[in-house]
Amino acid sequence: MKLIVAGVALLLIAAAPAPTPTYDWKLTPTGWGPVRIGMNRDQVQKALNDRLEGDAFDNEGSCIELFPQGEALKGSYFMFLDGKLSRISVSSPSKIVTPRGIGVGASADEVHKAYGEALKAEPNHYVDLPAEYLTFWLKPEKSGVRFETDAQRKVEIIHAGDSSIQYIEGCA
C-alpha cells in the first residue's frame, strides 16, 4: 500500500507543470538566466517555459529570429544561426537589465559610466549622431553586449551574445 501511495505521489509531482520563471535574470554576453548562447530552440523554450515563433531571414532557414508568445517576455526576441541561439535582444522597457543595471531607456551616459573605457562607440547606421552603437566585448568580437541608442541618446535596443550582436539587419 505504501508503495502505491508513493508511486502516485511521484506521478503527480512529475506531471505537475514546471513553475513559471520570474524572468528577473541578468542579461549577459553568455545568456539570460538559464538561457545560454549556443542552446537550440527546444532548450530555450524549455528554459523560458514559453513557445517561440517567427520566420527565417533567408530561404535556407539558417538564420531566424523568434519571439516568445507570452506577455511576460514581450519585447524580447532570440536569434538562432544554424539552429543555435546566437543573440538575445530586448527592445522595450522591462525589468531585463545587464549585471551593471543597464536596460532599455537608460541614457548613453549611464552606459558609458557603467562600462567605462571598455566600451566601443560607433555611429548608428540609420539615425544621425548622437545616436550610436555602444558595444562591450567580454571576448573581443566573440561575446558581448551592444546597446543601440537613439537621437535622444537613450538605449532603445540591447543585444547580448556572440558576434551576431553586430548585425544590423537580421543576419547581416
Side-chain angles (χ1 to χ4, degrees):
M1 181 66 166
K2 288 182 183 180
L3 286 176
I4 293 172
V5 171
V8 170
L10 284 174
L11 283 173
L12 289 174
I13 291 169
T20 302
T22 58
Y23 306 118
D24 57 354
W25 314 310
K26 302 301 182 202
L27 183 63
T28 72
T30 59
W32 183 49
V35 178
R36 312 311 300 161
I37 300 301
M39 285 180 154
N40 66 37
R41 182 179 185 168
D42 289 339
Q43 291 169 321
V44 172
Q45 289 180 136
K46 185 175 181 180
L48 293 173
N49 196 27
D50 200 345
R51 195 175 78 252
L52 299 175
E53 297 294 333
D55 296 315
F57 280 108
D58 56 24
N59 293 333
E60 295 82 35
S62 63
C63 177
I64 187 169
E65 274 189 345
L66 300 175
F67 301 84
Q69 299 305 293
E71 280 298 310
L73 296 175
K74 191 172 184 165
S76 64
Y77 49 103
F78 301 81
M79 178 182 281
F80 291 81
L81 295 174
D82 298 322
K84 300 293 181 188
L85 180 64
S86 66
R87 176 171 96 179
I88 302 166
S89 300
V90 180
S91 63
S92 62
S94 68
K95 62 182 180 176
I96 301 173
V97 297
T98 68
R100 298 184 189 193
I102 303 298
V104 171
S107 70
D109 291 338
E110 290 171 316
V111 177
H112 281 281
K113 184 176 179 183
Y115 289 89
E117 296 293 319
L119 204 62
K120 178 182 174 186
E122 303 169 86
N124 188 302
H125 286 79
Y126 296 105
V127 184
D128 292 333
L129 288 173
E132 57 191 347
Y133 303 116
L134 303 171
T135 307
F136 168 76
W137 291 107
L138 184 62
K139 294 179 183 172
E141 306 293 321
K142 293 184 190 261
S143 179
V145 178
R146 173 172 270 198
F147 306 91
E148 292 188 24
T149 66
D150 60 19
Q152 287 73 45
R153 302 192 71 233
K154 295 286 187 187
V155 173
E156 61 181 359
I157 302 174
I158 303 172
H159 304 290
D162 65 20
S163 62
S164 66
I165 64 172
Q166 300 174 91
Y167 295 171
I168 299 168
E169 291 187 19
C171 295

